[in-house]
Structures are given as structure tokens and as C-alpha cells.
Amino acid sequence: MKRVLVTGGAGFISSHFVRHLLEATDHEVVTLDALTYAGNLENLADVMSHPRLSFVHGDIRDAGLVREIVGGVDVIVNAAAESHVEKSIEHGASEFVTTNVEGTQILLDAIRDTPVERFILISSSEVYGTAERAPMDEEHPLNPRSPYAATKAGADRLAYSYWTTYELPIVIVRPFNNYGPRQHPEKVVPRFITQALADEPLTIHGDGHASRDWLYVLDDAEAIEAVIAAPIEDLAGEVINVATGVDISVRDIAALVLEALDRPADLVRNVPERLGQVDRHIGTTEKAARLLGWSAATTFETGLERTVAWYRDNEAWWRAILARAQRTAV
């Protein structure tokens, strides 16, 4: 049994990961979350009273709090991040720099003083930018194409430097595009689903040719757990893609959502291309299979079916989030 700190624990990927740890392992879990727009305690509502879960409302940029918490854990999974790509483009990168880069630095400095068994940084495939070769392996150049992606790349390389400089037990995980239940409706898959459920147009940037490697969130949770379980001597200093090896275009996703919800194909609306758009993301899977014994188990068809059903059955959840976002924007 280990005591695992999950930062940003009320977020999308991290809340699924917390739930997975509680269901599939005997680890104790501490979550730390500042509860910004992406952190939602409702994501953890069904497990908040679990005897092996502790929740701390706080910020990874609070060095004193971080040092206090780090002193009582064995493993850190740093999933805390500002992740709204369009917000980083339209409103500037300041908040993204302080949370994604400086917050990671505060955690890393804390484990210099109080060592842990391993530190897992949840990076992102966005650090790669558009694929120069396909599939993209872990040695693919880092060419982030948005301020958000650039801050994730900064945290990624900062963590790596603490392994090379201080020999800290750092593992960097680069998940590809996650989707699944409880994802904020700003993201493309839940946005299409909620737009279709509301009989609103599905808005696609450009012609929709951009493609992504779509990873069901529960598969990602299993991969991160495998990083905790594998021998640290095999993983320290490594970067590991978490991907399916299959990419699907945004326009095809829209068509599949409309078909799943029996909505007309003419609900699609094309809008101007997003600044800094990434054309293609598709990841290699060999390293994760070799080091972790992990491969994605959920096909996109199965994952999308589960995701559509969840949003159909939890309309109050996503409508409340959209209403809060609208009030904030006014």
C-alpha cells in the first residue's frame, strides 16, 4: 500500500484516476485541488466519504501547503493544470504559466527536500504540436502550438531536468486526447454531444480535417496506475506516451455523435479555424506496452457509446456547468 497525492484531483482525468485507485488498489489517496473552472467536487461526490480518500482544498502554487502535504506521501501524480486551450489563446498565458510551470516547480522543489518514491508528471501530447512523422514517438520534436501547450512543454522539460540534475525519480506521461464521462463541455467530444442533445449546431473549426488519437479516460487511469506499480528503476527519467495508435478526424467525430443521438447531419456548422490548430496527433504505443505492460482496451466506438449515454443521463450536470460558464463570461 502506498499513499498517493493526486494534484488537481477534482479534474476530469484525475477524478477518474482517483476513483480507479480506490476501486482497483489498496492505496491511500490524497487529492489537492484549487477548484477552478476545471475542478469540480461533483466529479468526486460518490467517493468523497471513502475511508482511503482525503481531500485538501488548496493550490499547488502554495509552497507551504505543498511542503506540508508532500511530507506525508509516497507517490505524487501531478495532474493539476490550466487546460483550456482557447482561454490561453484569447486571454493570455499568465495563469497557465503560474499553474502549469511554476506549480510544477514548487512540487519538484518540495521533493528535493522531502524525497518521495516517485513523481509522475501528467504532461500532454499537445507538447508535440502537429505530427512531423506518424505515429509520434517519445522522441518526436516538441513544437507546441498554443500557449497552453507551451506551458505543458515547459513543465515537462522542467521535470526532466530535475531527474538529470538531481536524480529525482521522475516519470513523464504524455496522454493523447482523453474523452469520457464528466469531461468539461468545453472539450470537443462532450461539446458535440451536449450540442446535439440540445438540438444546437455542432460547431467545427475549419473543415474538420484535424485528427486526434482519442483515448478513453478509464484506459488512461489504468495506464497511470501501471506507472505507480512498475519498478521505478525501469521508469525514472522516462517519457511514456499513453495512446491508442489510431486517429479520427473531428468531422468524423461529429458525424458519429449525430448518428448515435439520431440527429440530422445538417446540424454541423463550420466556423473559422482556431489559431494554432494542430493538424494531426497519433501516438506510438510500443513503449507503454514494453515498460508498463499496458495497452488501450477500449475502442473508440465503445468509448463513445458509453460517453454519449452518460451525458444523456446526466443533463443536469452539464447544463449547470454551461450556466456557470455563461454567468462568468457576462
Side-chain angles (χ1 to χ4, degrees), residues 92-330:
S94 177
E95 198 169 0
F96 293 78
V97 171
T98 58
T99 297
N100 299 357
V101 181
E102 293 180 18
T104 298
Q105 170 250 311
I106 287 169
L107 285 162
L108 290 167
D109 283 339
I111 67 170
R112 287 184 62 199
D113 295 332
T114 307
V116 292
E117 192 263 337
R118 69 190 69 195
F119 179 102
I120 302 166
L121 175 70
I122 307 302
S123 183
S124 168
S125 63
E126 290 289 327
V127 303
Y128 293 127
T130 293
E132 294 185 4
R133 55 179 182 267
M136 296 185 285
D137 62 18
E138 290 82 357
E139 301 302 319
H140 187 282
L142 304 189
N143 294 309
R145 293 179 58 85
S146 69
Y148 155 71
T151 61
K152 292 297 286 186
D156 184 310
R157 293 298 82 195
L158 184 64
Y160 180 79
S161 77
Y162 274 60
W163 173 69
T164 60
T165 304
Y166 306 113
E167 298 183 341
L168 296 180
I170 306 294
V171 189
I172 298 164
V173 176
R174 292 179 184 155
F176 279 67
N177 285 66
N178 275 230
Y179 70 99
R182 298 185 178 88
Q183 188 172 26
H184 195 290
E186 80 191 7
K187 303 297 185 181
V188 68
V189 173
R191 178 165 60 82
F192 284 167
I193 294 170
T194 56
Q195 286 172 334
L197 285 169
D199 293 310
E200 297 174 351
L202 277 62
T203 50
I204 295 178
H205 290 106
D207 63 5
H209 75 276
S211 66
R212 300 288 186 270
D213 189 324
W214 301 97
L215 177 68
Y216 190 58
V217 66
L218 294 182
D219 287 349
D220 196 6
E222 291 177 355
I224 301 167
E225 192 233 318
V227 177
I228 294 176
I232 188 58
E233 57 268 23
D234 294 341
L235 301 184
E238 296 288 351
V239 175
I240 305 171
N241 283 342
V242 183
T244 70
V246 177
D247 64 326
I248 305 172
S249 72
V250 172
R251 63 184 168 220
D252 286 345
I253 300 290
L256 289 167
V257 167
L258 291 172
E259 180 181 356
L261 290 170
D262 194 26
R263 296 303 198 269
D266 62 6
L267 270 182
V268 170
R269 298 288 186 275
N270 295 93
V271 298
E273 188 65 274
R274 188 173 71 188
L275 297 175
Q277 180 65 282
V278 173
D279 283 339
R280 189 183 188 197
H281 264 186
I282 180 170
T284 55
T285 60
E286 291 80 4
K287 194 171 184 180
R290 173 169 52 85
L291 293 180
L292 307 177
W294 175 90
S295 61
T298 308
T299 66
F300 185 76
E301 292 74 17
T302 298
L304 183 63
E305 181 181 358
R306 294 173 184 169
T307 305
V308 167
W310 191 89
Y311 282 91
R312 185 195 293 121
D313 295 342
N314 292 273
E315 184 172 344
W317 182 92
W318 56 264
R319 284 199 180 277
I321 289 176
L322 291 175
R324 283 198 297 270
Q326 189 172 35
R327 287 196 299 270
T328 303
V330 172

Side-chain angles (χ1 to χ4, degrees), residues 33-145:
D33 201 298
L35 299 178
T36 62
Y37 77 94
N40 185 348
L41 273 181
E42 291 180 20
N43 290 340
L44 294 171
D46 58 324
V47 294
M48 281 295 284
S49 61
H50 197 288
R52 286 189 284 113
L53 176 64
S54 303
F55 176 80
V56 179
H57 183 195
D59 197 313
I60 60 170
R61 295 171 293 185
D62 183 338
L65 177 62
V66 165
R67 283 194 299 271
E68 179 183 342
I69 296 172
V70 167
V73 301
D74 306 300
V75 174
I76 297 174
V77 178
N78 182 24
E82 291 287 341
S83 61
H84 194 320
V85 176
E86 291 191 15
K87 181 180 176 184
S88 79
I89 293 170
E90 296 172 5
H91 301 291
S94 177
E95 198 169 0
F96 293 78
V97 171
T98 58
T99 297
N100 299 357
V101 181
E102 293 180 18
T104 298
Q105 170 250 311
I106 287 169
L107 285 162
L108 290 167
D109 283 339
I111 67 170
R112 287 184 62 199
D113 295 332
T114 307
V116 292
E117 192 263 337
R118 69 190 69 195
F119 179 102
I120 302 166
L121 175 70
I122 307 302
S123 183
S124 168
S125 63
E126 290 289 327
V127 303
Y128 293 127
T130 293
E132 294 185 4
R133 55 179 182 267
M136 296 185 285
D137 62 18
E138 290 82 357
E139 301 302 319
H140 187 282
L142 304 189
N143 294 309
R145 293 179 58 85

